[in-house]
Amino acid sequence: MGFTAKKAYLVLYNAGSAVAWLTVLGRVVATLAYKKDAFFVPLVVDNFARTTQTVAVMEILHALTGVVPAPVFTTLMQVASRLFLMWAITFPFPHLNSSAWYSSMLCAWATTEVIRYSYFVFKQLGSVPSALHWLRYSAFLVLYPIGISSEVAMTLKALFGPARSEGFAFSTWYPYALVAVLLSYIPGSVVLYGHMLKQRRKYLGGGAGGVEKPKVKKRQ
């Protein structure tokens, strides 16, 4: 098959997303390195990260329409949980940006996405570097627990802090919504992590070294 319009779109979309998340990662790391408030993520970085993550709604549309062969349910869960953090936690409570959990969350997300989108770019072009292939199906072993733990910690900070404040307009019901979201992490994280473990076994094999399964030629 040639370089179709669909393939061109996916290359541009994934490349743009990889660059955007690399920008998020670079800006967070630069902030941690040079700011006096060690873990404070400036609003300009927060807003850029929020915009970048919101664009990921396209991932759901891609899965629903069959543009990419991605499972709709797991895609929806991951995108929805991140949108929740960006719009229901950090947007109404921007002072939580000073938490180390927010920095670790963004770093985990950004690193994951730079790897993932870069992988998809090379996949569309027909050749994925072996190191990137390994990272795609191995980095999540560390990055997912960091990201999920950070998301839960941020939600807890909101729940036991500003969400209960009398000055917050939705304080009568917001804490209950946050509790419901926290409870959803119990099955949700298991499903997402389990999905990636299955993908890892499929593409790298079950060994600890992550060696790709050898392809066995079928007898004619």
Side-chain angles (χ1 to χ4, degrees):
M1 293 181 65
F3 203 75
T4 62
K6 174 183 173 181
K7 182 173 290 189
Y9 164 74
L10 289 175
V11 168
L12 290 173
Y13 172 80
N14 288 303
S17 297
V19 170
W21 279 110
L22 183 60
T23 302
V24 172
L25 180 61
R27 296 175 82 172
V28 173
V29 171
T31 297
L32 297 179
Y34 297 110
K35 290 290 183 180
K36 292 181 179 179
D37 297 324
F39 296 110
F40 182 73
V41 176
L43 288 178
V44 64
V45 179
D46 175 58
N47 289 333
F48 184 81
R50 183 174 296 106
T51 300
T52 300
Q53 182 55 56
T54 302
V55 172
V57 170
M58 294 299 297
E59 306 277 324
I60 301 173
L61 296 178
H62 291 165
L64 283 171
T65 57
V67 173
V68 295
V72 176
F73 183 63
T74 53
T75 301
L76 178 62
M77 279 199 306
Q78 187 169 39
V79 173
S81 67
R82 290 187 178 185
L83 289 177
F84 164 78
L85 263 296
M86 298 310 294
W87 287 104
I89 300 295
T90 65
F91 184 71
F93 313 123
H95 59 281
L96 293 181
N97 292 6
S98 61
S99 170
W101 291 111
Y102 187 52
S103 297
S104 63
M105 182 183 79
L106 287 184
C107 285
W109 286 5
T111 304
T112 298
E113 298 300 44
V114 169
I115 294 170
R116 186 170 71 93
Y117 285 119
S118 298
Y119 172 86
F120 288 144
V121 169
F122 282 102
K123 187 176 181 181
Q124 288 297 322
L125 296 176
S127 179
V128 180
S130 57
L132 183 59
H133 181 78
W134 184 85
L135 282 172
R136 169 70 179 107
Y137 296 106
S138 299
F140 79 92
L141 293 169
V142 175
L143 294 174
Y144 270 34
I146 293 174
I148 292 171
S149 299
S150 300
E151 292 172 28
V152 170
M154 287 292 291
T155 306
L156 287 171
K157 287 180 73 67
L159 174 61
F160 293 106
R164 295 175 179 269
S165 172
E166 293 183 359
F168 182 53
F170 308 117
S171 60
T172 55
W173 61 267
Y174 216 74
Y176 297 102
L178 296 184
V179 169
V181 171
L182 285 169
L183 290 175
S184 73
Y185 268 87
I186 299 173
S189 58
V190 173
V191 171
L192 287 174
Y193 203 73
H195 170 71
M196 286 306 299
L197 286 174
K198 289 179 181 178
Q199 292 292 97
R200 188 174 196 272
R201 286 193 294 269
K202 178 179 179 181
Y203 292 106
L204 294 182
V211 179
E212 189 170 4
K213 291 180 179 179
K215 295 180 180 179
V216 180
K217 293 183 178 180
K218 295 182 179 180
R219 293 183 178 179
Q220 300 295 326

